Amino acid sequence: MNKQNSGVVFVTVFLSLFFLVLAIGYAHSYNPGFFPDEFAHMGYVVDVIKNKFPDYNNGLVFSSNKLNYLNHPALYYVIVGELASLLHLQDMYANVGRYVNMIISIIIIILTCRMLYATTKSMLATFTGGAFLLVIPMFVVLGSAINNDQINVLGCTLVIYGLLGLIEVERKNKSLTSSVIIICIGGIVASLSKATGSLVIVCLLVSVALFNFSTFIKIIKKISLKEWLLIILSILIIIFYFACVHAIYDDFYPAPQGNPALWFFIENPNAKRLDFLEFLVNFFKSNLVTITIPYGHVPIIDSETRIVILKSILIMLGGMSSYILAMKLSKNNTFFNLEFSFIIAFAIYITVYVFTIRQLHLNTGYMGAMQARYFFGFLPVCSLVIGKFICYVNSKIFQIIVFMLMVSGLITSIYPALVKFTDLRMLQSTIIIEQPLYNTSYGYLTKGRGFEQAILAESNSLNGVELMLATYARNNHGALILELLDGSGVIIASDIVKMETIKDNSYTWFDFNNVKLKKNQKYLLRLKCNDCTQSNAITWWAVKKEVESHVFLLTKFGPGAGDAYSKGEAYVDGAKIGGAFAFRLYF
């Protein structure tokens, strides 16, 4: 192995390990269900564990009595469910699903780095292009969550990798077999993962064929009978899957119930429909937000510096893409032939996608489905654009600027993934249970009042508790007491915190010194202040009990309205209030 190849291997391994650190950080910082649609994806995995296939007739969202609303093909769910069964990890299938996506993400990184080096022969281009994947926060989040987005991106990456190989192979007059196999596998994986994956592949194939027509014709003429059989077989596999699904469920993309757009229309039939320009502005803003921040069903701690750096990288990428288009159209520059085709494929995809969700909006009034992750199949194209452009522009200053931007992006991406690990209490605990949602409070915690939260012991000891408290933006003083009571009402642990040390709208630590508990038994947290008045008091943030819309009440349809913390009730002054207070338990 020569020095250059060793360097590329080092870059690929470094980026893969860096991703793994970030992904494990997210996975261990946020419980299953906190990332987009995780409970719905988990519901289908449970179906596979029980019945070998997702239940598209009566499958439920995990931890809910509501029917599942996802209409995705079954590949990811079958892989995770069967793997969990094979390894006898049925009780840990959520972790299996997350780690499967980590492995898939590393494969994507490796393939992207191989593409970059194959087309540029540059370690700098390989590093900057590969690093682009990691500075996109939702690529890392999805790679550490339970969802089928990442396997869809893998399928698209394989097709891009194969198309790149076909063009390069044709130039060098070598066998097409390996590239054909890779494209066929990618097509199967993407098509059996998400409908958007199929659209990405169609756009890629059409664009590459149109803008590399003479080369494409030469490739077609070189395809052997064996390779044609492989292509036909892969198409037949896809057709067979969808034919079977349609025969059983009377739909190519079935789901037990309608999606959020239908729910919205049923509840808001007269919702405002935006004009086209206003719709486009909302589309752009929503996609910009969802490509620059990590998000889910809970707030994710982030850094404004990281967001600014990522926006700078995206502006740079837009400039590079525009330059490639201009160069190709004005001078027929052959250096960017394939990248030009990929950019046009992305433009076709976005056009189709915009008009599809525009029609959805006109039909229902729904403004969802505007998330950048729906076009993540093109992320490897972005990496290729960055890598090829760096090689084309022979400017050391420009290359240093791009390199420093990517390094800054990588460094700042550490913060949202690992910020919770800066708390030593997290490292000292084996189980952390969090209820992070809050949207209300129940007034001043004054003398004689009590805020209480029932909890379930997940272990035989409890290190301590963090409560999300508010100071009303003032400096309070006095003693705040948190007690832990067992099932008989006996206080088994307590801690006192000085209110002078409490920061507004932040977690406050109460130390229970590893008090002994009985696992799976109920306990009660009671917060009180014996000397507080309205002018000198705090409050404990809480989330209201979700109230199900009367339209869907007592049915299996519509969105779920589950408890934020189903293992214990919240009480104010002895009265059950529903919902839950915001807390973290460190077992």
Side-chain angles (χ1 to χ4, degrees):
M1 186 181 292
N2 60 40
K3 185 176 179 180
Q4 189 81 350
N5 287 339
S6 299
V8 172
V9 170
F10 173 79
V11 166
T12 305
V13 172
F14 169 77
L15 291 176
S16 299
L17 292 176
F18 193 88
F19 163 81
L20 202 57
V21 170
L22 299 182
I24 291 174
Y26 278 118
H28 285 267
S29 296
Y30 299 94
N31 296 329
F34 285 180
F35 295 136
D37 297 322
E38 270 196 305
F39 278 161
H41 290 294
M42 289 164 66
Y44 281 147
V45 175
V46 171
D47 291 341
V48 172
I49 291 173
K50 292 178 178 178
N51 303 309
K52 305 297 183 182
F53 201 77
D55 184 352
Y56 291 123
N57 280 327
N58 300 297
L60 301 176
V61 173
F62 177 76
S63 77
S64 170
N65 63 349
K66 294 294 185 178
L67 293 171
N68 210 319
Y69 54 88
L70 296 179
N71 64 343
H72 301 312
L75 182 60
Y76 173 75
Y77 312 120
V78 171
I79 290 173
V80 175
E82 289 297 326
L83 186 60
S85 299
L86 180 65
L87 299 175
H88 302 290
L89 295 173
Q90 291 91 334
D91 292 339
M92 300 178 64
Y93 73 90
N95 289 330
V96 173
R98 286 183 161 192
Y99 280 97
V100 163
N101 271 344
M102 290 183 200
I103 294 170
I104 289 171
S105 301
I106 289 173
I107 296 172
I108 294 169
I109 293 167
I110 293 170
L111 289 172
T112 303
C113 288
R114 282 179 64 93
M115 282 192 290
L116 286 161
Y117 186 67
T119 55
T120 65
K121 303 300 180 186
S122 165
M123 280 198 300
L124 177 63
T126 303
F127 172 78
T128 52
F132 176 78
L133 298 176
L134 275 64
V135 302
I136 303 298
M138 283 310 291
F139 175 82
V140 182
V141 168
L142 295 172
S144 56
I146 305 156
N147 62 80
N148 62 352
D149 289 272
Q150 220 67 348
I151 196 169
N152 177 58
V153 176
L154 174 61
C156 298
T157 304
L158 286 167
V159 172
I160 295 167
Y161 186 93
L163 288 171
L164 189 68
L166 278 184
I167 302 298
E168 293 299 316
V169 162
E170 196 283 326
R171 289 174 184 165
K172 298 174 183 177
N173 201 26
K174 294 181 179 179
S175 171
L176 305 175
T177 304
S178 62
S179 295
V180 169
I181 291 172
I182 290 170
I183 291 173
C184 290
I185 293 173
I188 293 170
V189 169
S191 299
L192 302 189
S193 299
K194 294 189 79 166
T196 51
S198 300
L199 179 59
V200 169
I201 290 168
V202 170
C203 293
L204 287 169
L205 292 175
V206 169
S207 182
V208 171
L210 284 176
F211 295 100
N212 300 271
F213 189 73
S214 59
T215 302
F216 215 72
I217 293 299
K218 292 177 183 178
I219 291 170
I220 290 174
K221 290 179 179 179
K222 288 182 179 180
I223 295 177
S224 66
L225 177 60
K226 177 181 66 175
E227 291 157 356
W228 275 117
L229 289 174
L230 288 171
I231 295 170
I232 293 169
L233 177 62
S234 64
I235 294 172
L236 288 176
I237 289 172
I238 296 170
I239 292 173
F240 177 76
Y241 170 84
F242 284 105
C244 290
V245 167
H246 191 275
I248 297 170
Y249 301 103
D250 199 31
D251 197 344
F252 290 117
Y253 294 96
Q257 69 156 319
N259 58 35
L262 178 61
W263 306 341
F264 182 86
F265 177 69
I266 291 172
E267 293 188 84
N268 307 277
N270 299 315
K272 179 184 177 183
R273 271 58 166 179
L274 305 181
D275 61 49
F276 188 66
L277 181 59
E278 193 176 0
F279 177 84
L280 283 181
V281 170
N282 275 272
F283 179 84
F284 173 78
K285 289 180 178 179
S286 179
N287 279 280
L288 179 61
V289 169
T290 55
I291 201 172
T292 53
I293 67 167
Y295 63 90
H297 301 298
V298 297
I300 297 178
I301 304 168
D302 202 359
S303 159
E304 188 62 35
T305 302
R306 187 201 61 75
I307 296 173
V308 170
I309 291 171
L310 179 53
K311 286 182 177 178
S312 302
I313 292 171
L314 293 173
I315 291 171
M316 176 193 72
L317 174 63
M320 290 177 174
S321 301
S322 300
Y323 184 86
I324 289 172
L325 291 174
M327 286 291 291
K328 179 65 180 175
L329 293 172
S330 62
K331 298 182 180 180
N332 196 26
N333 188 306
T334 58
F335 184 74
F336 293 116
N337 266 3
L338 209 53
E339 288 70 34
F340 173 83
S341 303
F342 290 157
I343 293 170
I344 296 298
F346 176 68
I348 296 170
Y349 175 88
I350 285 295
T351 302
V352 173
Y353 186 68
V354 164
F355 281 99
T356 300
I357 63 171
R358 167 67 176 167
Q359 192 59 48
L360 179 70
H361 170 66
L362 292 176
N363 292 341
T364 66
Y366 185 60
M367 287 295 294
M370 295 184 180
Q371 298 178 43
R373 62 191 174 101
Y374 296 136
F375 55 78
F376 274 14
F378 285 97
L379 285 182
V381 171
C382 299
S383 296
L384 282 172
V385 167
I386 292 169
K388 287 291 288 286
F389 197 87
I390 281 179
C391 291
Y392 181 78
V393 179
N394 191 21
S395 167
K396 291 292 183 183
I397 294 176
F398 177 78
Q399 290 174 349
I400 290 171
I401 290 172
V402 175
F403 175 78
M404 293 305 297
L405 265 178
M406 289 300 177
V407 170
S408 300
L410 289 177
I411 291 172
T412 52
S413 67
I414 295 172
Y415 181 77
L418 301 180
V419 61
K420 289 191 176 184
F421 288 88
T422 58
D423 188 342
L424 291 178
R425 291 185 286 268
M426 187 167 185
L427 299 176
Q428 294 167 351
S429 302
T430 56
I431 299 174
I432 299 171
I433 303 298
E434 181 177 16
Q435 195 302 96
L437 303 175
Y438 58 91
N439 55 19
T440 191
S441 68
Y442 293 96
Y444 301 102
L445 181 62
T446 54
K447 182 178 180 180
R449 300 197 71 195
F451 296 159
E452 299 171 329
Q453 175 69 53
I455 62 171
L456 181 71
E458 306 280 349
S459 177
N460 292 317
S461 61
L462 180 63
N463 294 331
V465 176
E466 283 185 313
L467 309 183
M468 176 61 73
L469 303 179
T471 66
Y472 294 99
R474 63 192 184 190
N475 294 319
N476 301 297
H477 62 274
L480 190 65
I481 305 167
L482 182 66
E483 299 170 338
L484 179 67
L485 291 74
D486 64 15
S488 61
V490 175
I491 298 173
I492 61 172
S494 65
D495 191 25
I496 298 175
V497 168
K498 293 181 179 180
M499 288 196 293
E500 296 91 326
T501 64
I502 298 175
K503 295 180 180 179
D504 196 20
N505 302 323
S506 62
Y507 280 106
T508 298
W509 171 255
F510 292 85
D511 195 344
F512 285 159
N513 296 310
N514 210 27
V515 61
K516 299 301 178 185
L517 307 177
K518 292 182 180 179
K519 188 176 180 179
N520 295 325
Q521 295 294 309
K522 288 285 187 73
Y523 293 84
L524 187 71
L525 295 172
R526 177 189 293 160
L527 186 67
K528 63 182 185 179
C529 180
N530 293 330
D531 301 310
C532 290
T533 61
Q534 285 197 9
S535 60
N536 179 54
I538 57 87
T539 193
W540 185 0
W541 279 113
V543 61
K544 292 180 180 178
K545 181 178 178 61
E546 291 186 9
V547 179
E548 191 170 347
S549 169
H550 71 279
V551 179
F552 305 113
L553 193 63
L554 302 178
T555 76
K556 288 190 173 184
F557 300 96
D563 293 327
Y565 180 69
S566 60
K567 298 176 182 179
E569 298 283 352
Y571 302 85
V572 172
D573 303 331
K576 186 187 297 185
I577 56 170
F581 287 104
F583 59 85
R584 292 175 182 159
L585 308 175
Y586 293 82
F587 292 100

